[in-house]
Amino acid sequence: MEQERLHPEATGELSNLLYDLCLAAKIISRQVRRAGLSDILGEMGTTNVQGELQQKLDVFANETVRHSVQHTGRICIMGSEEDENPVPVPPGKPAGKYVLLYDPLDGSANIDVNVSIGTIFSIHRRVSPKKTGPGTLADCLQRGRKQIAAGYILYGSSTMLVYTTGSGVHGFTLDPTIGEFLLSHPHIRTPEVGKYYSVNESHWDQWTPGVQRAVAAFKNGDGAGKGRVEAKNARYIGSLVADFHRNLMSGGVFLYPADTRSPQGKLRLLYEAAPLAFVVEQAGGLATDGGQPILDQTPTTLHQRTPLVIGSKADVNFATEVIGSS
Ligand code: FDP
């Protein structure tokens, strides 16, 4: 509400879209909290003891987000990690001026082992010349710099919504006793230099010499004195949202570089890297692909991958310089 008042021209539609996402987050959070209890961890297509068709949690999350937004008249098209093609609003339903891109449940390898996971979202304005009816792929393929809102929901020791609309980053914690997100972390700023580096070092042999040098410097310090890198502590959960959130709050750098097995990197530009890049820049940090800022990349496909270096500004600048010089 406070943010909306900064824009006298605002119609309230964006706030309502964010509320729609909060509703989805509460439903997903409830299901995640019951994950070990509710037979929900089964494979798709199998039947549970009640004879109901089991749904994997990531499929459940995908549908929950879709159902929470597609009939509201606020969006014209959605793109999700779980859907091969963009999903326009259903025929006959009102289409709005926003585009939603999302990763319904990031860190899926951690679902079955009770480790933090998250939902990531990115919101753009529609750009297709037709102002009514369903949106098009072109609405989804916009540069990160054009995002008007982005954020994530972390299902961790508590459930937290962290978002930006371009006026800073704000964190809300879900109070399960009243079912509301309460503003717990206004105006989040990330430290200029981080304490942690987060990378899957088992990929070392597949990295370029530049990536190896950057990671070695984060691990050991580069010995070059003031303005260079001090040795950092390592933390890698393997859930992007959780690794990102810890580094945002405590300071740190997360790397998922390109390697010989994934020459474009592993993470997705539109609904993983770009929204987190918007959040981190708004918190005073930085995100690059090891060369250019993530927010300046031009997407050509919905599920495009990108290398990612994200976190505290000085550390991302250092890694980008070292990777680029190899
Ligand atoms: P996951 O495969 O479990 O969905 O988005 C993909 C992602 O998780 C990120 O959340 C995580 O940071 C990364 O992949 C982990 O990949 P590695 O196992 O290769 O480290």
Side-chain angles (χ1 to χ4, degrees):
M1 289 304 172
E2 268 177 34
Q3 299 277 305
E4 192 185 308
R5 277 196 283 274
L6 298 176
H7 301 272
E9 75 289 357
T11 59
E13 263 181 81
L14 179 61
S15 306
N16 285 333
L17 176 51
L18 292 168
Y19 271 127
D20 299 337
L21 290 171
C22 286
L23 173 62
K26 289 177 204 173
I27 297 170
I28 297 167
S29 178
R30 182 199 60 195
Q31 217 64 353
V32 167
R33 301 284 170 228
R34 297 169 63 226
L37 300 170
S38 58
D39 280 344
I40 203 160
L41 301 175
E43 293 299 318
M44 278 294 289
T46 58
T47 306
N48 67 14
V49 281
Q50 288 87 29
E52 299 156 342
L53 206 59
Q54 286 184 339
Q55 257 187 335
K56 280 177 77 180
L57 207 46
D58 42 6
V59 177
F60 175 86
N62 189 38
E63 290 178 0
T64 301
V65 174
R66 188 185 329 124
H67 292 155
S68 302
V69 299
Q70 73 177 353
H71 296 288
T72 61
R74 295 189 250 282
I75 60 150
C76 59
I77 196 161
M78 285 159 285
S80 161
E81 189 189 19
E82 295 289 326
D83 298 314
E84 194 179 337
N85 297 310
V87 180
V89 288
K93 296 290 170 199
K97 60 183 176 193
Y98 295 115
V99 177
L100 175 67
L101 302 166
Y102 64 102
D103 181 353
L105 217 49
D106 176 70
S108 45
N110 280 326
I111 294 176
D112 288 1
V113 289
N114 207 353
V115 170
S116 299
I117 46 184
T119 300
I120 311 175
F121 63 90
S122 160
I123 299 173
H124 286 270
R125 249 189 210 98
R126 85 182 284 168
V127 288
S128 47
K130 225 169 117 220
K131 292 284 174 249
T132 54
T136 65
L137 178 62
D139 292 313
C140 300
L141 301 183
Q142 300 189 52
R143 277 185 303 125
R145 210 53 87 190
K146 298 267 188 186
Q147 289 171 104
I148 55 162
Y152 56 88
I153 297 106
L154 173 64
Y155 310 102
S157 44
S158 56
T159 294
M160 213 179 150
L161 163 74
V162 175
Y163 89 105
T164 182
T165 52
S167 306
V169 178
H170 309 284
F172 294 76
T173 303
L174 181 64
D175 182 338
T177 62
I178 58 168
E180 270 303 348
F181 282 101
L182 305 180
L183 180 59
S184 51
H185 298 70
H187 304 286
I188 295 171
R189 301 294 296 171
T190 197
E192 175 80 14
V193 180
K195 285 191 215 159
Y196 300 110
Y197 75 101
S198 310
V199 67
N200 186 337
E201 274 190 74
S202 69
H203 300 156
W204 178 274
D205 286 346
Q206 283 112 42
W207 290 339
T208 62
V211 172
Q212 291 176 342
R213 269 207 304 280
V215 173
F218 288 137
K219 180 158 50 179
N220 304 317
D222 71 350
K226 198 165 181 286
R228 307 304 288 176
V229 168
E230 305 257 330
K232 298 184 189 302
N233 205 347
R235 288 282 185 279
Y236 189 75
I237 297 169
S239 275
L240 174 62
V241 174
D243 279 307
F244 175 83
H245 183 74
R246 184 205 46 247
N247 290 348
L248 181 76
M249 304 309 286
S250 307
V253 55
F254 173 95
L255 304 96
Y256 208 112
D259 59 40
T260 49
R261 288 167 323 148
S262 335
Q264 307 306 322
K266 176 181 182 189
L267 302 175
R268 313 297 181 136
L269 174 61
L270 284 172
Y271 43 79
E272 292 185 315
L276 298 185
F278 190 20
V279 169
V280 87
E281 282 203 6
Q282 283 292 314
L286 192 61
T288 73
D289 61 1
Q292 298 309 311
I294 290 290
L295 294 180
D296 292 334
Q297 284 192 33
T298 305
T300 53
T301 58
L302 184 62
H303 299 291
Q304 186 167 327
R305 295 175 193 271
T306 180
L308 179 64
V309 182
I310 191 165
S312 293
K313 201 177 212 162
D315 298 325
V316 174
N317 273 331
F318 173 83
T320 303
E321 202 178 292
V322 173
I323 293 169
S325 66
S326 64

